[in-house]
Amino acid sequence: MDLQHWLGRATDAVQDWAAAFGPYRPHPSLEVDDARFASAFEEFTGRLADNYPFFHPHYAGQMLKPPHPAAVVGYLTAMLINPNNHALDGGPATAAMEREVVARLAAMFGYGTHLGHLTTSGTIANLEALFVARELHPGRGVAHSADAHYTHARMCHVLGMSSHPVRTDEKGRMDLDALEDVLRTGRVGTVVVATGTTGLGAVDPVHEVLPLAARHGVRVHVDAAYGGFFTLLAGAEGPEGLPPEPWRAVARADSIVVDPHKHGLQPYGCGAVLFRDPEVGRFYLHDSPYTYFTSTELHLGEISLECSRAGASAAALWLTFRLLPPTPDGLGRVLAAGRRAALGWADLIEASDVLELYQRPQLDIVTCFPAVDPATLTGVDAASARILADGMTGPDPVFLSTFKAGREAFAARHPKVTADADAARVLRSVLMKPESEDHVRCLHDRVERLARTA
Ligand SMILES: *Cc1c(COP(=O)(O)O)cnc(C)c1O
């Protein structure tokens, strides 16, 4: 699609719609002439040059990439009207779109019933899930893996709940024996599992946690903020297919968080929380004297902790899903390419004499470290930091990130590396762009060359 063409159509469409309401002119206080705008805009775009090239396949660092053009046009078109999805009074059309995309997300995970909404972020979506967890099990805390996103411990603090980190195994997944020990104390009301940790993309064994939690009368929340859309590859044919068991089990969890602004091709400002039991809506009950007056139908603000939210976010996701639906043949193909990229790079690293795989990728995140002599954590850390910094400079840059691996986690995977420090940084690449698949060889050669000089 031709982005420029459709951006023009976006402004036309909104002007046509506005014309039906009769003539009107913006106030002189808002007027800006083109010459002044040009100079401000030039300064502005100059400032924006100070960015990493998230769009480029040579950017293989963090979880960052531009949104799909369909999301850009959807967002911009709706933003020109600027609906607020807090209430049907603020955005009837985009509120309806939000309900539709949330239903699609719920169906993607196999939920038969659901209550849910979009949020500004995965952080807020997880906060809501933990808030409901607290209301259902007052006085009891939350167990999450030691590798879970830091938001869980922090939001437990915000909510006045105790948080119980659970040891991970040698693949970065929640250790079930350690979980059982924590559950036996009776102090936990909800277990948080991740289908894709932020650091390593490790997938917790949801299917094994569920029966364990049920035995202890404990709820299960799935933090799929990063990995959620990988459910589209569960049981798929080909190298990109994922073991289906944890993904199928997600349908039996009590709540799920997924971030369309990570793997759903959306701009920032789009997370989502889903509850299997619509009855939890009662915990959100409140009265709002200044909204909810145009309709007795459900207003999204009545089931959300946030008030104002961009209707444009729902519009962008709705338009994207019309074109690239959350199905194996739609968005699934985008994720499959990134997953194949990660597997392909992991194979190259395994065959390399200067790089070592930290662990096999479970999704699309590759972690490795330079082979150093003598093999110590201090040496690995220094060489990784050097490669990260050197990679970004020069005529042929490569952008990576690092992951801090603790002494025990490192020893569980690489016992021969002498643990002379508490932790070591290893190199980490999130291959979330499908274009990465054709650039893996090039990325690998570049990182190998950097490793030889580090
Ligand atoms: C990114 C992420 C979060 C936080 O979501 P934001 O959208 O960045 O606020 C929470 N959990 C996991 C697993 C994540 O990857």
Side-chain angles (χ1 to χ4, degrees):
M1 60 176 277
D2 176 355
L3 182 59
Q4 243 176 7
H5 168 78
W6 289 107
L7 287 176
R9 286 293 299 273
T11 48
D12 290 348
V14 173
Q15 267 163 22
D16 291 348
W17 167 79
F21 297 94
Y24 120 104
R25 200 177 316 137
H27 191 268
S29 64
L30 298 169
E31 226 162 81
V32 172
D33 69 53
D34 270 329
R36 277 184 60 221
F37 186 82
S39 95
F41 191 70
E42 197 178 333
E43 183 188 344
F44 166 70
T45 50
R47 297 279 294 262
L48 283 182
D50 180 20
N51 257 308
Y52 298 100
F54 309 123
F55 70 95
H56 200 285
H58 290 172
Y59 181 87
Q62 304 282 14
M63 297 170 171
L64 285 158
K65 63 175 176 180
H68 191 277
V72 174
V73 174
Y75 196 101
L76 183 112
T77 312
M79 189 201 68
L80 292 170
I81 300 169
N82 206 23
N84 184 336
N85 273 15
H86 173 223
L88 290 167
D89 323 309
T94 47
M97 288 180 194
E98 178 164 339
R99 286 220 293 274
E100 290 171 35
V101 293
V102 166
R104 286 216 81 148
L105 291 172
M108 176 179 81
F109 290 114
Y111 265 8
T113 56
H114 75 275
L115 182 84
H117 59 87
L118 300 181
T119 60
T120 297
S121 66
T123 300
I124 296 298
N126 275 302
L127 169 69
E128 294 206 12
L130 296 187
F131 156 69
V132 167
R134 186 190 71 183
E135 298 304 292
L136 283 166
H137 284 309
R140 286 158 77 185
V142 170
H144 54 80
S145 101
D147 282 5
H149 195 281
Y150 67 82
T151 194
H152 296 287
R154 178 191 258 184
M155 289 307 178
C156 281
H157 178 62
V158 169
L159 291 163
M161 303 165 89
S162 59
S163 97
H164 306 264
V166 176
R167 183 179 70 229
T168 50
D169 66 13
E170 77 293 343
K171 290 180 173 159
R173 303 169 306 189
M174 183 182 272
D175 183 284
L176 294 172
D177 291 331
L179 174 62
E180 179 126 47
D181 288 344
V182 172
L183 296 186
R184 265 200 223 101
T185 65
R187 292 174 59 206
V188 165
T190 297
V191 184
V192 174
V193 285
T195 51
T197 55
T198 315
L200 298 170
V203 180
D204 284 333
V206 187
H207 55 299
E208 291 172 308
V209 169
L210 277 164
L212 193 61
R215 265 209 305 286
H216 290 270
V218 164
R219 301 171 68 260
V220 175
H221 166 62
V222 179
D223 182 359
Y226 181 67
F229 288 100
F230 279 98
T231 193
L232 299 172
L233 303 184
E237 307 260 321
E240 67 269 20
L242 296 171
E245 297 82 8
W247 301 97
R248 301 273 182 264
V250 170
R252 288 182 280 131
D254 295 285
S255 52
I256 307 168
V257 160
V258 62
D259 262 353
H261 70 203
K262 282 191 182 142
H263 258 303
L265 307 174
Q266 300 307 295
Y268 286 114
C270 195
V273 63
L274 307 162
F275 297 95
R276 191 161 47 91
D277 178 9
E279 289 298 311
V280 302
R282 69 185 184 277
F283 298 122
Y284 289 92
L285 268 185
H286 65 281
D287 193 25
S288 173
Y290 26 76
T291 45
Y292 313 147
F293 52 83
T294 54
S295 172
T296 52
E297 262 184 70
L298 181 77
H299 298 260
L300 289 161
E302 293 179 284
I303 54 157
S304 164
L305 290 184
E306 290 176 272
C307 296
S308 295
R309 279 183 307 107
S313 284
L317 188 56
W318 188 90
L319 190 56
T320 307
F321 277 180
R322 285 272 286 149
L323 301 153
L324 291 160
T327 58
D329 292 340
L331 204 44
R333 290 175 53 225
V334 179
L335 281 106
R339 167 107 180 105
R340 285 193 301 267
L343 294 173
W345 196 357
D347 289 344
L348 293 173
I349 293 166
E350 271 179 336
S352 167
D353 55 353
V354 289
L355 294 171
E356 272 195 63
L357 210 51
Y358 178 67
Q359 69 172 50
R360 288 259 346 146
Q362 288 163 53
L363 298 178
D364 60 357
I365 302 176
V366 177
T367 45
C368 71
F369 60 93
V372 290
D373 189 18
T376 63
L377 288 188
T378 316
V380 166
D381 184 78
S384 296
R386 177 94 184 269
I387 292 171
L388 177 81
D390 289 354
M392 290 188 274
T393 58
D396 184 19
V398 59
F399 301 87
L400 309 169
S401 67
T402 55
F403 172 76
K404 192 165 149 195
R407 160 206 288 266
E408 274 135 40
F410 212 108
R413 292 158 177 87
H414 302 280
K416 288 192 188 130
V417 177
T418 307
D420 64 341
D422 288 340
R425 278 168 289 178
V426 298
L427 297 167
R428 168 176 172 272
S429 277
V430 182
L431 299 177
M432 71 189 311
K433 292 185 289 281
E435 294 84 3
S436 300
E437 192 176 5
D438 293 334
H439 283 260
V440 156
R441 179 89 241 178
C442 169
L443 286 166
H444 178 71
D445 289 348
R446 182 84 176 97
V447 176
E448 264 200 332
R449 257 181 288 134
L450 288 159
R452 281 187 215 287
T453 53

